[in-house]
């Protein structure tokens, strides 16, 4: 397994705490302390320090889109009419609940987004009635996901 390289803000113990939290985000800190043979307060201190440094940016629940009614998942590239529109477009995309990721990218597209929709008809509406209506959007190309082979966190 890889380790965080050239980062003076983490050490072996921090990396082990991160691994335990990545395996099970609901694991009690007392359980981490027991497994690593350190005090519970040290785990709390280390996690708080990593949060303050921005290494740990939050804790969340991971939802299964298909189990809650989002049958269509796409990755969509967005071209802009002019490059300066990309920031405005990204701000407008934040307001569309079904757009769950947005990245600035190089190449043919200015932005690459992930959209979840109940079905293809709703995806069409999101694209044509919402995204294409945003000032500066030049066009979109969508790639429908048939499923995820795997998803994983950063290597530590």
């Amino acid at each position: 397994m890889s380790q965080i390289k050239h980062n003076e803000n983490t050490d072996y113990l921090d990396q082990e705490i991160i691994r335990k939290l990545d395996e099970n985000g609901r694991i009690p800190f007392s359980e981490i302390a027991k497994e690593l043979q350190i005090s519970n307060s040290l785990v709390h201190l280390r996690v708080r320090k990593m949060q303050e440094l921005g290494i740990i940016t939050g804790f969340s629940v991971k939802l299964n889109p298909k189990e809650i009614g989002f049958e269509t998942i796409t990755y969509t590239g967005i071209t802009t009419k002019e490059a300066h529109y990309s920031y405005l477009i990204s701000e407008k995309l934040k307001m569309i609940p079904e757009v769950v990721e947005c990245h600035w990218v190089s190449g043919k597209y200015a932005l690459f987004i992930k959209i979840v929709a109940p079905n293809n008809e709703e995806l069409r509406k999101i694209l044509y009635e919402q995204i294409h209506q945003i000032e500066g959007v030049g066009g979109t190309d969508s790639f429908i996901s048939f499923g995820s082979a795997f998803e994983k966190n950063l290597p530590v």
Side-chain angles (χ1 to χ4, degrees), residues 26-57:
R26 294 186 57 158
I27 188 172
F29 287 177
S30 59
E31 181 67 25
I32 294 172
K34 182 179 177 183
E35 290 181 22
L36 298 178
Q37 299 179 340
I38 58 175
S39 72
N40 189 20
S41 60
L42 183 57
V43 174
H44 282 272
L45 181 70
R46 292 294 188 109
V47 169
R48 186 170 54 243
K49 179 186 117 194
M50 288 187 282
Q51 287 176 304
E52 289 169 359
L53 292 170
I55 295 167
I56 295 176
T57 58

